[in-house]
Amino acid sequence: MGKDGAADRSLYPLHRCKILHLVRHAQGIHNLEEMANSKTSPELFDAKLSPLGWNQVDNLRQHVNACGLSKSIELVITSPLLRTMQTAAGVFGCQNLTDGTDVTPLMVADVNSGQEAISSLNCPPFIVVELCRERLGVNTCDKRGSISEYKKIFPAIDFSLIESDDDNLWMPDVRESDEDLAARGMKFMSWLRTRKEKEIAVVTHSAFLFHTLREFGNRCHPSMKTEICKFFANCELRSMVLVDESMMGSESATTDYPGGIPRGVDMPNSAGKGN
């Protein structure tokens, strides 16, 4: 709060800011009511989207196209779990995979679910990042499959940042703590600051979003904290601005202009007495 009781206002250089479009994955089969007490069941291994989840994806894709986000997003980052990659491809991919077009699909057709192939035509790059996955350990729905198998399902997605083919981070008897999850989330945000892209979509998970955003919310005015930290619904999208206060980013301003070209006499007025 400011000295006059009003909420503090902040001003930052544009090149120190990024626009983030944060998305929680659509409904997975592990989110169904009948699965509430079965998160450790082998049947929920790397839980996929439910039929309702795919309907949610369709609705969010229509919104993203209608409001223009599909044209402004420069990069799509997704967690390496099946439900987030399905959501990312379905929302931000091109739905019309034209026969005969030599374009690698974002996602191949799934004969079991009836989902058609999704094209990468005119799409931003998609990259998988391990840091933004769901809370690690115990729950089988949060254990990922092998990267070699994922590459067959999502041929146009970049998996180069994943260090191991198998999931070496998930442990069957150790559940990641709130503190460790929040620390991982902040590490992810620090990494985001180093990216050259200015408008990024991140498709991730409820616990990851909640604990990461709470770290930011704790520094905000209470009313803004409530807005930032509320729980994400399935396939909800919220747009936020990430500010590089630590000066970690290396990008220089692209829209600033130095002025004085050509140079001429420019005598400054006294502060507060300008015309």
Side-chain angles (χ1 to χ4, degrees):
M1 299 288 287
K3 293 181 180 180
D4 60 357
D8 289 332
R9 295 167 179 85
S10 299
L11 190 67
Y12 297 96
L14 179 61
H15 71 284
R16 294 294 175 186
C17 303
K18 294 184 187 297
I19 299 174
L20 302 182
H21 303 289
L22 304 177
V23 180
R24 181 190 173 198
H25 63 79
Q27 185 192 70
I29 58 172
H30 67 302
N31 294 132
L32 300 176
E33 184 176 1
E34 58 267 29
M35 295 297 181
N37 298 316
S38 305
K39 297 297 176 67
T40 59
S41 169
E43 297 179 5
L44 293 182
F45 169 71
D46 196 12
K48 63 182 180 180
L49 294 186
S50 68
L52 177 65
W54 280 110
N55 288 338
Q56 293 172 340
V57 165
D58 291 340
N59 288 329
L60 180 53
R61 182 181 68 253
Q62 293 174 26
H63 168 76
V64 164
N65 290 331
C67 69
L69 284 185
S70 58
K71 297 180 180 179
S72 62
I73 290 173
E74 302 170 65
L75 177 68
V76 178
I77 295 173
T78 175
S79 150
L81 295 179
L82 182 58
R83 57 189 180 272
T84 44
M85 292 187 288
Q86 288 177 325
T87 301
V91 170
F92 300 107
C94 177
Q95 294 303 298
N96 299 318
L97 186 59
T98 305
D99 291 339
T101 302
D102 188 20
V103 177
T104 304
L106 270 176
M107 189 182 83
V108 299
D110 185 350
V111 294
N112 294 321
S113 66
Q115 291 300 318
E116 297 181 355
I118 298 173
S119 174
S120 62
L121 183 66
N122 298 323
C123 293
F126 282 63
I127 189 168
V128 172
V129 177
E130 199 98 73
L131 279 173
C132 66
R133 63 185 290 178
E134 186 56 298
R135 189 193 300 269
L136 296 165
V138 182
N139 290 353
T140 52
C141 57
D142 300 329
K143 182 179 182 181
R144 68 166 173 82
S146 68
I147 299 302
S148 55
E149 289 300 316
Y150 283 155
K151 287 180 178 179
K152 299 174 185 177
I153 304 171
F154 305 97
I157 292 182
D158 182 358
F159 292 92
S160 62
L161 294 181
I162 305 296
E163 297 181 355
S164 62
D165 187 54
D166 294 327
D167 190 354
N168 296 329
L169 299 176
W170 184 91
M171 300 295 175
D173 54 354
V174 179
R175 189 73 168 155
E176 189 175 23
S177 68
D178 291 349
E179 293 76 16
D180 287 346
L181 178 55
R184 175 159 60 85
M186 295 306 288
K187 184 177 181 181
F188 172 73
M189 290 296 189
S190 294
W191 174 80
L192 274 183
R193 293 190 187 103
T194 68
R195 297 290 308 187
K196 65 179 181 179
E197 299 86 2
K198 296 301 182 184
E199 191 159 354
I200 301 172
V202 180
V203 185
T204 180
H205 306 264
S206 58
F208 177 85
L209 286 166
F210 178 80
H211 290 285
T212 301
L213 295 180
R214 189 171 65 173
E215 291 295 303
F216 288 94
N218 288 336
R219 311 170 191 176
C220 297
H221 185 276
S223 61
M224 188 176 292
K225 178 178 180 179
T226 300
E227 185 176 353
I228 291 174
C229 298
K230 63 182 180 180
F231 187 75
F232 273 69
N234 282 129
C235 221
E236 181 179 354
L237 180 152
R238 289 186 216 159
S239 300
M240 301 186 185
V241 176
L242 178 67
V243 179
D244 182 16
E245 295 180 289
S246 64
M247 307 290 282
M248 290 180 62
S250 59
E251 291 296 306
S252 58
T254 57
T255 56
D256 290 1
Y257 184 74
I261 303 174
R263 287 195 175 280
V265 176
D266 186 6
M267 297 298 292
N269 289 322
S270 298
K273 298 181 180 180
N275 294 322

